[in-house]
Amino acid sequence: MGKTLNIAPVTRIEGHASVSIHLDDSGNVSDARMHILSLRGFEQFVLGRPVEEVPRIVTRICGICPWHHHLAANKAADGCLGVELPPTGRKLRELCQMMAYIPDKILHFYFLAAPDFVLGPDADYSVRNVVGIVGANPELAKKVVHMRYKGQMMLEKFAGKVIHPIAGVVGGFSKPLLEEERKEILAGIQELKDFSVFTIKFAREEVFPKYLDAVKILGVFPSGYLGTVRPSDGALELYDGELRLMDQNGNYDQFKYSEYLDYIGEHTEPWSYGKFPYAKKWGQLKLDENDPVGVYRANCLARINVCDRMRTPLAQEELDIFRKNFGRPSHLTLLYHWARLIELVQACERAEELLNDPEITGREYRAKNIEPRAGDGVGCVEAPRGTLIHHYRTDDNGMVTMANMVVATINNNAAMNLSVKQTAKALIKDGKYDQGILNRVEMAIRAYDP
Amino acid sequence: MTKVTVAEEWLNSCAGCEIAILNIGDVLVDLLVNNLDFVHIPVLIDKKYFGQTGEEKELSIPEAVVGIVSGGVRNEEHKEVLLEMRKKCQILIALGTCATNGGIPALQNMFSDEDLKQFYYKDSPTTDPADYPTEHIPPLLDKCSALDEFVKVDLSLPGCPPHPDWIAGAILSLLDGKTDYRMPERSVCDACPTIRESKKGIEDIKRLYDGAEYDPEKPLNEMRCLLEQGLLCLGPVTHVGCGGTKGAPNCISARVPCRGCYGPIRKSAKPLVDYMGALASIGFDPNKMLDRRGYLCRFSGAHGVLKKLG
C-alpha cells in the first residue's frame, strides 16, 4: 500500500491550493496533482447587476492584481454598451495598468520567489522567506520594501484607491491627470525604472547563474503559449492588442479578443475546483507531462515566447540577452522569473512613454451620453499572471445576463499540474523525500506566480 | 524587547488584505525585525498544516498571541482553519469586510450553489460540460459567512481592503498591551469634504457611467456632494475609514460614488432601510432604485442579510 503526501497549503502564492503526491509500494511517484481549493462564483453573482458596476465588483477576484480585472471588466462593459473611448481615457487606463504591474512584479520577485534562490531551496522554512531576506541583506530589503510601497502609493494618490480600484469607468476614466501630478509620477517612474534595471541585472548576474542546472530540469515540459501582441509588429503588449496562441514548435494563430471562443475551451477534472483551459484546435486536453495535448501556458514566459520583439528599448536589450541564451520558444519553467523582470522593465518604460505623451493630460477622459442597451462585450488585458478574459452580455437595461471569465492564473492550471508531476517524479525516488525536495515541487508552481 | 507572535490566515479571500498589510510601508521592515514574529502566514512563510513533509493527519497551526484572519467562511476547510486559529490565538482579529460581513463573495448568498455550478461546469460558453468536481477538495458550506458566525472575534477591522493606518494602529496598540483598539463608528459622509446643500429635487438617479460634475482643477471641498448630484453614493450608510485616519474617502478622491466597502456603520444598522431615508432626503422615490440589494448589501451579505428569494 503506497502513501500520499499532502503539501498544504501551497505557500508564497496568491491563492488557495494544495498538492497531493501519491507514492506507490516502492516509494516512487505514481501521480501528483495540484488542487485548487476555492470556488467563489463571480460568474454567478454579477448576474442582475448593472454592467457598469461590474468593474467595481470583479476586482475582488484578486487583491494582488485588481487593476487588471478592473480594466478588463471595463473593456467588456464598454463593449456591451457600445462605447468608444476618447484617447486620453484609453491612455489613462493603460498608464494605470503599467503602474499596477511594477509593484506586483517587485512583490513576486523579492517577497515570494527570491527566498528560494537567495536563501536556497533547502533552507529551513523559518528563514526561507521575506524575513530571511531582510536578515541576509537588510539594505536591499529596505530598498525593495520602499520601492514597492512607492509604486503603490503613487497609484493610490492619483487614482484614489490602489487595492480594488475605482477610477476606471465605462467610457474611460473618472478623472484627468493634472500637469503637476504628471510631473510627480514621472519622477517616481524614472526612479522605479532605475530600480528595475538594477533588479534584472542583479538577478541575471548574481542570482540566476547559480541555478542554471535547476532551470534545465525543474518543472520542464514542452507546451504552447498564449499572449498579446501589437498587430503592426508583433511587439509584446500588456494592455491591448491581439491574442497570439503559439504551439510548442513556434507556429501560431493570431486573433481578436472577440474570437476567443473559437480557440479556447475549458475542461474539468474531478479533483480541482479550477477548470483547465486548453487550445481547442490542438485536440482534447491530455495532462501527460511527456506528451501533453492542448496544453498552453500564459503569463510572462508565454508572452516573451509569443512576441516578436519588446515594445521598449531597454526591455528589447534584455530580450536579446534572453533569446541568445535560451532561444524561442523556451520551455524552461523557472525562466518565468527571468521573463517577469524583462516585463518589469517594459512596464516602467511604457509608463514613462505614456507620461511623456501630451494627450495624457487631456480633458476628454470619459465618453458622455452613454445609454443602457442589450449587448455583448469581450474585454481582455494581459494581467501579470496571464491573459485575462472577461465576457459579458446585457439586457436592454444594461443589466448583466451572462458572465464568462477565463482568469489569468487559471490559464496555467494544466501547466502547473504538469510541472508538479514532472518535478515530483524526477526528485522523489525509492520513498526518499525531504522538505527541500517538497519545496522544489512548490518552486515549480511558484514560477507561474499563481 | 520580546517579539509578539502572530499567525495569519486567509479564507474566502482575494489577498487584498494581505497587500494592505504590506502597504503599511517602510515601517514594516522595522516591525518585522524588532516586534513581530510571524509563525504562520501562507502568503509569505512556508509553514504547513500537516507537518513540513505532509504526513500528519490533523491540521495544525502554531500557537500565537495575535491571530489575523481575512476572508469569509465558504467551505469546510475555511471553517476548520478558523476554528484552529481561534483555538491557538489569544486575540483574534477579523481583517477586512469579508471577515466582518462576508464582503463581495457573500453576494453569492443571493443565488444557489447549484446555479453557480451548473453555469461554471456545464453552461459556460468555453466549458465542455462535466460532472462537478468533488475529490480532494473541501465541500462548500451552504452560504458565505462572516467569522463571528462561527467564533468569537476580539477586534474587527473592516474595509475592502482595510486602510494600512488601521492595521498599523491595531498592531501598535496591541504591542502596547492594549486590546481595546476600535475604529470610530461614523459614516463615510463624516470624513467627506464635499459640499452639501440639503436641497431636494432629484427626479432620476444617475447611473455610474453618467459621472460626477466637477472642476478637476479644484479640490474636493469645492465639489458638490455626489448623492446630491443624483449619483447613488452609499456614504450615508457606510462605515468610515477608507481614507485612513486623516484622508478623504477613497472613492470621492477618485470623483466616484461610494459603494459601501467598509460595510454598515454599526452591527445593528439596516442599510436597506436606512438608505431609503437618505434617498428621500434628496427627493428621490426609493422604490425606483435599481438593484437595491446589489448596491446596499454588496459587501455585507453574511449574517443572513442576503438570501435567495423565491
Side-chain angles (χ1 to χ4, degrees), chain A residues 49-340:
Chain A
R49 315 276 84 80
V51 73
E52 72 276 15
E53 296 287 340
V54 177
R56 297 187 61 166
I57 295 175
V58 295
T59 41
R60 275 73 180 187
I61 292 171
C62 175
I64 296 185
C65 60
W67 273 96
H68 314 291
H69 287 283
H70 185 59
L71 295 172
N74 267 305
K75 283 186 178 186
D78 292 336
C80 288
L81 300 184
V83 183
E84 287 291 328
L85 265 62
T88 297
R90 189 204 162 285
K91 286 178 183 175
L92 286 172
R93 285 188 189 175
E94 185 182 355
L95 174 64
C96 289
Q97 159 106 345
M98 294 307 123
M99 289 176 69
Y101 252 85
I102 298 165
D104 184 294
K105 289 187 182 278
I106 294 174
L107 171 78
H108 189 265
F109 181 71
Y110 286 107
F111 286 56
L112 305 184
D116 291 324
F117 299 99
V118 173
L119 300 145
D122 295 302
D124 189 76
Y125 83 89
S126 60
V127 293
R128 192 183 58 218
N129 54 54
V130 67
V131 186
I133 297 269
V134 173
N137 195 339
E139 283 316 303
L140 178 60
K142 274 193 179 163
K143 174 99 176 162
V144 169
V145 168
H146 179 68
M147 293 315 291
R148 193 204 69 87
Y149 179 62
K150 187 183 180 85
Q152 289 263 306
M153 290 306 113
M154 284 198 313
L155 189 49
E156 177 136 312
K157 193 172 169 193
F158 166 56
K161 195 160 177 258
V162 61
I163 307 172
H164 302 323
I166 49 189
V169 289
V170 169
F173 210 75
S174 70
K175 64 191 283 271
L177 180 69
L178 305 178
E179 176 56 21
E180 57 267 35
E181 292 175 318
R182 186 192 72 83
K183 281 191 196 135
E184 193 183 328
I185 296 173
L186 183 59
I189 289 292
Q190 284 162 341
E191 202 183 331
L192 284 162
K193 186 177 82 174
D194 292 345
F195 181 68
S196 300
V197 170
F198 157 79
T199 296
I200 193 165
K201 198 159 175 279
F202 167 70
R204 192 155 45 69
E205 292 173 0
E206 294 181 41
V207 181
F208 297 144
K210 291 186 226 162
Y211 292 94
L212 284 180
D213 289 343
V215 166
K216 282 176 195 142
I217 53 164
L218 208 109
V220 175
F221 66 94
S223 75
Y225 296 95
L226 177 68
T228 299
V229 295
R230 180 161 63 180
S232 59
D233 63 354
L236 186 148
E237 270 289 353
L238 296 172
Y239 179 69
D240 204 53
E242 287 183 353
L243 290 172
R244 188 179 274 186
L245 182 59
M246 176 180 274
D247 69 20
Q248 55 180 273
N249 302 313
N251 306 308
Y252 60 79
D253 286 315
Q254 193 167 315
F255 52 95
K256 295 183 178 12
Y257 299 149
S258 57
E259 298 170 310
Y260 84 105
L261 291 172
D262 295 337
Y263 294 88
I264 295 170
E266 290 187 287
H267 170 83
T268 302
E269 289 286 343
W271 39 266
S272 185
Y273 278 125
K275 291 184 283 191
F276 296 77
Y278 66 97
K280 268 171 152 172
K281 297 200 169 174
W282 303 343
Q284 189 49 250
L285 181 71
K286 192 169 142 204
L287 287 173
D288 178 341
E289 73 279 16
N290 298 312
D291 180 27
V293 179
V295 177
Y296 68 84
R297 296 192 249 191
N299 191 334
C300 48
L301 180 64
R303 292 187 285 255
I304 292 287
N305 276 334
V306 304
C307 77
D308 297 322
R309 53 182 295 263
M310 299 302 287
R311 189 170 170 162
T312 55
L314 294 175
Q316 180 62 40
E317 286 176 22
E318 292 295 336
L319 180 68
D320 292 340
I321 296 171
F322 182 89
R323 288 223 165 126
K324 207 174 134 205
N325 279 294
F326 306 108
R328 174 191 184 198
S330 171
H331 301 301
L332 306 180
T333 300
L334 288 188
L335 290 180
Y336 268 98
H337 296 294
W338 193 321
R340 194 163 287 121

Side-chain angles (χ1 to χ4, degrees), chain A residues 8-9 11-12 49 52-53 56 60 63 128 148 152 161 174 266 270 273 275 278 363 397 404 433 442, chain B residues 14 23 42 46 48-49 55 120-121 124 126-128 135 138 160 207 214 217 254 257 259 291 295:
Chain A
T11 44
R12 287 185 279 131
R49 315 276 84 80
E52 72 276 15
E53 296 287 340
R56 297 187 61 166
R60 275 73 180 187
R128 192 183 58 218
R148 193 204 69 87
Q152 289 263 306
K161 195 160 177 258
S174 70
E266 290 187 287
Y273 278 125
K275 291 184 283 191
Y278 66 97
R363 282 295 184 267
N397 202 19
N404 194 43
Y433 59 89
E442 286 189 81
Chain B
C14 71
N23 282 0
D46 303 338
K48 305 298 180 189
Y49 295 146
E55 294 152 313
Y120 196 70
Y121 296 112
S124 133
T126 29
T127 301
D128 305 331
E135 298 167 18
C160 191
R207 302 259 301 243
Y214 66 96
E217 305 289 345
R259 285 292 176 261
D291 188 25
Y295 281 100

